[in-house]
Each structure stands twice: as structure tokens, then as C-alpha cells.
Amino acid sequence: MNAETETDRDARKPPAGVAVVVIGYDDAAHVTDAVRSALAQGPAVREVVAVDDCSTDGSAGLLDRLAASEPRLRVIRRRANSGGCGTPRNTGLDAVTSPYVMFLDSDDVLPPGAVDALLEAAEGAHAEVAGGLCVRRELPSGREVPWEPRLYALHAVVPRPARRPRLVHDTLCVNKLYRTGFLRAHGIRFPEGRFPYEDVVFTARVLAAAPRIALVPDRVYVWHVRRSAGRLSISLDRSGVENWRARTEACRQAYEVLLGAGQKELARAVRAKFLDHDLRMYVRELGLRDAAYRRAWWELTRAHLAEYDADDWARNPAAPGRLVGRVVLASPEPCDLPRLRELAARPARLCPPYARAADGTPVWSDALPVSLEPLRARPVRALPLAVDAELRPCARGTRLRLRLRLRLRLRLHELYGRVAQAGPESVEAEWLHRDDGGVVVRDTAVPLAPCPSGSEPASTAGSEAVALAQGPEPAGRAGSRAVALARGAEPAGAVALGPCARGAEPAGTAGSVRGGAWSAEVAVDLAALSALGAGTWDLRLRIRFRDGVSRDVSAHALRGAGLLRRNAVPSVRHGVVLVQPYATHSGALALRVAPGVRGVLSVARARLRRLLH
């Protein structure tokens, strides 16, 4: 008898099967869509285990009727609501019989081909875990934002998680396929009961077991973000300070799990991720909360950061999250919230004033002398540059041919001599459509001119540079697909704006520009912005320096008389265009455009809805 080949043995092996655990509570409107998206993955899905967490809205009945016609679907009803996501996921994990398992929330979906892509990667790499790209889909707009795209840019196999510390940033469990036996052998489960951010702890437990991980660039999960829902998801409901308490506790446990498993570098990466992501996100919103929330948040944060050691702070010490954390840790009471919000923005902005200690060391402020010395060694492409912006509509041309323009005035601040040393030469403005990230309106790059010294202009008087903006929306970074719209106008020139405020740099700073600032004026074609109809545009700037290095920044929205005010601009094509510049939650300049009568009516309806609700 001939020896059996490995190919023959593989041909007789039953195909690997995947179980999808779907959890839901009072989500009758969406749960069957989630289950159907799992069943539609094809024969790779051997079973779907739907765990109903004691719903009261008929969700379980819908699942039972679906299961009557679908043999792969099994419904498990919990007798008492757990209050969280961890317990029902554990219930489903205990029930699955397939070699691999995935998790799906009732209000999300699996895109076509997701399971095949992950299963092929896991089997091909002999990996215990396979992960793919998750996209956050904002509803009802449909705008999609990729989650941790850097991790999933290419196919990759990671023999041990310690070789890719960035893995700690992807705390989701739903965009991954797990070998069931691996989870059970290591006793990896979710925290039980009402434990928000259970994914964070579960992911740490997975990484602590040092699995072989396969990464794929395929879209494998669609995370639906419904901010207008009657009941926000646990992760989106950040209105109470208990949400922040739960997040800090989850990060603390993740650190302890990895440290206890001997994964010291990954444990450090968890703390770095907290500073760079979690802390910055909540600081951007802190000014919108009441005084009681801010005091409680500040106390919780200082207690958490007090656990960090010198090595945690020494790693990348000029990173914005670390600077924010050190300021919070140094002050017993909430302080400088507007300026911290700007530094927590993406990209970060360190707004003036720029104080120095008696020995000349850059510090946060005279009242809070936290050293900013690490900024002197930070590459100019990563500096938290501050650019003030004011936007005023204007119209040019004849009565028969009226051109719609926006005049964008920009002012780049010096930063402890680093800007002058790098030599800023030009700035290019981009307007990115909030709901269609691929649409970009670009303006021709214009020169940056040194500001003459003189008195401060009215628009930047006093503390305007750090005034707290109460904009109603966070800025969103649009996607990478660039579709430049025709400007329909000649390139705008640059003019020096004067007089500019005198900068904070000492006269002896090498290479300093007198006045400590550079300015430009850019004419923006409003016709291009209004071509797509009503929409919101986020401003991004690209500053180019003498040696060819560039820095992408957002602009701080100046507030003052005549600024951030809705204007009705006449238009030959639309009749009228409503233009509303505003400051986002992070203080950046954004613009709403509503062309024509329909646009005006849409603005009126939206305002009426806000008044009624």
C-alpha cells in the first residue's frame, strides 16, 4: 500500500468551521440584520449562536422565528439581564462547537467575505488569531472611518504580539477570528456583569497568551455609530463621569494582565495608548461638561496617572498626550481647559502664550511651570504648531458675473524658536467634506510672510487665541481618496496681514522672526464648496518649510466681533448661499455651506428641531 500523502490527509479533513456569537438586548430593530449578515457569509459559518440578554422588546421572538427556517442558528435566552456585553459573549462562547469563533453585536453587520478572509488567513498562517479592518459607519450620513488602518494596511503574520506593540491600540474583539481551543486552553473570557470596555481587558488577555496573529487588509466588520439613537451604546455614552471611571479601570486591568504575563513592553504600550488616545479624546470634550463633572474627572485622572512611573513619562516625552497628562498631574484643580483642548486635538496645537522659566526653559505657563523642553528636540513635522484662522465671505466681479469667495486669514505662531529655525515658506489650504471623505477642495499654496511687529489686531486681542469654542461637532479627518474640485478662479495671492501680535520669543533667539509670527491670506472659492449641496467642510493646512519638510495642521478658529457668524452670500447659480464658520469641539475651524432655497430650508428645519428637542 502506498504511503498516504499530506495532501491526501488534508483532502479528507472536514472543512474548518466558524461560529459567530451575536449578542443583543432590546434591539429588535437591528438584531435580525446582524444575524442574517453572519448567515450570509456562506458555508464557512457552521453555526450562529444568538444570545438574547433578557430583552423586553420582542427581540427573542424575532430570533426564534428566524431560527425555525435556519438550522445553523441557535438562540439562547438569558433569564436575567447582565447589564453589559461580557456575560452574554461568555454564554455564547461556552455554547459554540466550531473550531473558530467570532463576535458580532446586534446593531452591527459583517460585510460579505469577512469570515472567508479571516479563516483563510488563520489557516494559512497557522495562527490562533486573525484580525481585519473594521470601519465605523456614522448613521444616517453613512460616512465611514477606518479603525486602526495602520495595523491592517497589508497582509502580515505576527509570530508574537510583542513584535507589534501597536496591537494594543486595536482593543476591539469583533474584527477578529479566534481559535476556540486557544481561548479555552488559556481560560480567556470577558469580564462579567456591567463592565464597560470589556473589549479592552479581553484583548489584553488574548495578547498576554502570546498567540500567533494573522492580519489582513480586508474589511471584516462594520461598526454602526448611531449618535442620535434613543439609547446610546455603552462606549458612546460619555455624559457621566462613571464612563471615564470604567475606562480607566479597564486600562488599569489591561496593564496588570500584560505585566503579570511578563509582557512588559506591551504593558507599557497600553499606558502610552491611554495617553495618546483615551486621555486626548476626553480632554477635547472636558470644556463641554459642568463644573462637578470636571472636578470628578480631574481627580480620577490624577489618581490614575499617579500610578505611572518615570519610564512611562520618559518615552516620547514631547508627544501631546504626555504633555497633557503632565499638566493634569501637576495641577490639583482643573486648569487651562481651552489650551489643553487645543493640545489634545488631532493634529495637536499648542496655542500661546509661550512661557519660559527663569533659566529660559520652555514651560507650560508661569503659574504651572511644567517643562516643555522636549519640544526642542521634536522634529518640525511633528511639532504642535498653532495657526489662527478667521474666515470672512466676500463677493467679487460684476453684477452680471458674480464670483463667490471666502477670504481665509492665517497666522502661524512661533514656537520657542523652532518655527523660525525651520523656515516656513508656504501654506496650502484643503477643505475636506465631512460626510464624503474622498472629496477635497484644494487651494493653491501661497507664501507665508513674516508679520511686522506692532500692536495686536482686534480679532486676536486678549485671550482669544485660547478662548473656549463651544462648537457642536467634533472635527473628523476625511479619508485618503483625494478628488480635487475645480476652483473656477485664478490662484489667490498671499498678502502679509498686519499688524500681528508681538511674539513671545526673546530678542536673542537664533533665527527668530521679529513679531514671532507668519501670515497669509487665501481666497477660497465658495462655488466649489457649494457644488455638492449642503454640507460641512473641515479645514486642514499643509505648511512647507525651507528644507522641503511639511507639517499637516488644523487651524484654531478665532472668535470675536464679526467672526463665526452665519452669512448669506448672493450667488448667480444658487440665488443665495448660507455660510456658517464654526469651531469644533477641539477648537478647529470648520464650515457649513447650504446653497439655494433648499439649503436655507434645511438649515431652518435643523434649527427648529434643535429648539423643539
Side-chain angles (χ1 to χ4, degrees):
M1 179 180 295
N2 294 332
E4 184 179 49
T5 67
E6 184 175 347
T7 302
D8 294 331
R9 290 195 299 271
D10 288 344
R12 292 209 313 270
K13 286 165 67 175
V18 176
V20 181
V21 175
V22 184
I23 64 167
Y25 168 67
D26 278 358
D27 197 15
H30 308 113
V31 64
T32 54
D33 290 338
V35 170
R36 287 192 175 98
S37 77
L39 294 170
Q41 296 295 311
V45 173
R46 180 184 298 178
E47 59 183 330
V48 175
V49 179
V51 182
D52 180 74
D53 201 10
C54 197
S55 295
T56 60
D57 68 344
S59 295
L62 292 175
L63 291 171
D64 286 339
R65 285 193 288 275
L66 185 58
S69 60
E70 178 48 72
R72 291 181 295 165
L73 174 59
R74 184 160 32 129
V75 180
I76 299 176
R77 298 191 190 186
R78 289 186 46 79
R79 295 182 178 180
N81 179 259
S82 68
C85 297
T87 298
R89 285 192 185 133
N90 288 336
T91 300
L93 180 59
D94 290 339
V96 303
T97 61
S98 301
Y100 294 93
V101 63
M102 291 182 66
F103 301 99
L104 171 61
D105 290 347
S106 63
D107 53 350
D108 301 329
V109 294
L110 298 179
V115 172
D116 285 340
L118 291 173
L119 182 58
E120 181 180 353
E123 291 278 281
H126 304 288
E128 288 83 16
V129 179
L133 184 66
C134 167
V135 294
R136 288 169 52 107
R137 179 182 292 165
E138 298 275 351
L139 296 176
S141 70
R143 182 173 70 100
E144 293 188 349
V145 180
W147 174 267
E148 289 298 320
R150 288 170 52 188
L151 271 177
Y152 301 106
L154 300 169
H155 288 273
V157 177
V158 183
R160 290 289 182 270
R163 295 191 181 183
R164 189 74 65 89
R166 185 75 190 181
L167 286 166
V168 304
H169 283 250
D170 184 12
T171 55
L172 300 180
C173 72
V174 290
N175 61 330
K176 300 177 183 69
L177 177 82
Y178 304 91
R179 193 182 293 273
T180 308
F182 163 76
L183 295 181
R184 289 173 176 167
H186 293 275
I188 299 172
R189 298 172 67 80
F190 293 88
E192 294 277 349
R194 182 166 179 78
F195 191 102
Y197 305 108
E198 75 292 332
D199 282 19
V200 175
V201 178
F202 178 83
T203 298
R205 291 171 177 171
V206 169
L207 297 178
R212 185 177 177 87
I213 301 176
L215 307 176
V216 299
D218 306 70
R219 287 162 47 113
V220 301
Y221 197 86
V222 178
W223 174 3
H224 286 147
V225 180
R226 297 177 174 90
R227 299 186 189 277
S228 59
R231 187 186 76 229
L232 290 174
S233 66
I234 293 174
S235 61
L236 289 179
D237 188 5
R238 299 197 291 266
S239 58
V241 76
E242 287 306 312
N243 177 278
W244 180 240
R245 188 191 306 275
R247 188 180 284 261
T248 56
E249 177 59 27
C251 292
R252 179 182 292 109
Q253 288 195 26
Y255 172 81
E256 292 172 351
V257 165
L258 289 165
L259 194 64
Q263 303 281 1
K264 187 174 182 179
E265 286 302 311
L266 290 178
R268 296 287 189 195
V270 165
R271 286 185 167 177
K273 177 259 180 186
F274 176 84
L275 293 172
D276 184 61
H277 175 71
D278 305 77
L279 182 64
R280 292 174 70 177
M281 177 170 58
Y282 280 72
V283 164
R284 290 195 296 270
E285 301 174 354
L286 194 55
L288 305 176
R289 312 301 184 191
D290 60 30
Y293 177 101
R294 292 197 294 266
R295 285 193 298 271
W297 183 95
W298 201 269
E299 182 180 352
L300 283 170
T301 306
R302 295 185 78 236
H304 183 70
L305 295 180
E307 300 173 4
Y308 286 32
D309 58 30
D311 191 42
D312 292 318
W313 297 110
R315 299 188 176 203
N316 197 7
R322 281 172 175 76
L323 296 180
V324 170
R326 289 170 58 210
V327 171
V328 172
L329 196 57
S331 176
E333 297 290 337
C335 71
D336 296 340
L337 299 187
R339 199 163 178 235
L340 285 172
R341 177 205 61 191
E342 301 276 344
L343 185 56
R346 294 188 183 277
R349 301 182 298 270
L350 180 58
C351 291
Y354 304 121
R356 291 179 182 270
D359 62 358
T361 301
V363 294
W364 176 256
S365 68
D366 293 333
L368 203 64
V370 174
S371 174
L372 302 181
E373 183 67 22
L375 289 176
R376 288 179 164 176
R378 195 165 179 80
V380 69
R381 64 179 179 274
L383 284 175
L385 302 181
V387 179
D388 293 337
E390 58 178 279
L391 192 63
R392 297 182 183 272
C394 63
R396 295 180 181 178
T398 66
R399 293 184 180 179
L400 297 178
R401 187 174 180 83
L402 188 65
R403 292 195 180 197
L404 302 179
R405 297 287 190 92
L406 295 174
R407 187 171 68 252
L408 180 63
R409 293 180 174 180
L410 304 172
R411 180 171 179 271
L412 168 65
H413 292 277
E414 178 59 277
L415 187 63
Y416 298 113
R418 296 300 314 285
V419 179
Q421 184 182 27
E425 291 189 335
S426 66
V427 59
E428 179 183 359
E430 291 183 346
W431 294 94
L432 296 88
H433 197 276
R434 179 74 60 81
D435 293 331
D436 187 346
V439 178
V440 180
V441 174
R442 289 191 179 92
D443 283 287
T444 305
V446 298
L448 280 163
C451 289
S453 60
S455 59
E456 194 166 330
S459 61
T460 57
S463 59
E464 162 55 34
V466 292
L468 179 62
Q470 297 293 338
E473 299 177 44
R477 176 70 184 180
S480 59
R481 180 174 59 92
V483 180
L485 299 183
R487 297 188 63 241
E490 66 276 11
V495 297
L497 300 181
C500 287
R502 184 179 300 277
E505 283 304 300
T509 301
S512 65
V513 172
R514 188 177 181 184
W518 296 258
S519 65
E521 182 172 304
V522 180
V524 182
D525 190 358
L526 182 56
L529 295 180
S530 59
L532 293 182
T536 301
W537 299 83
D538 293 303
L539 175 63
R540 291 293 184 271
L541 304 172
R542 177 163 297 162
I543 301 172
R544 299 190 184 278
F545 295 89
R546 185 186 304 119
D547 60 358
V549 171
S550 64
R551 170 65 164 140
D552 290 342
V553 300
S554 56
H556 167 77
L558 289 179
R559 300 171 70 105
L563 300 176
L564 303 186
R565 183 182 63 188
R566 182 182 293 121
N567 291 270
V569 181
S571 165
V572 172
R573 178 179 178 183
H574 302 289
V576 66
V577 177
L578 285 186
V579 181
Q580 173 68 73
Y582 72 97
T584 67
H585 281 169
S586 65
L589 181 66
L591 182 68
R592 294 191 186 97
V593 174
V597 176
R598 289 185 180 180
V600 173
L601 291 177
S602 69
V603 172
R605 284 194 296 267
R607 187 168 187 178
L608 182 60
R609 283 196 298 269
R610 288 194 296 269
L611 291 174
L612 293 177
H613 294 86

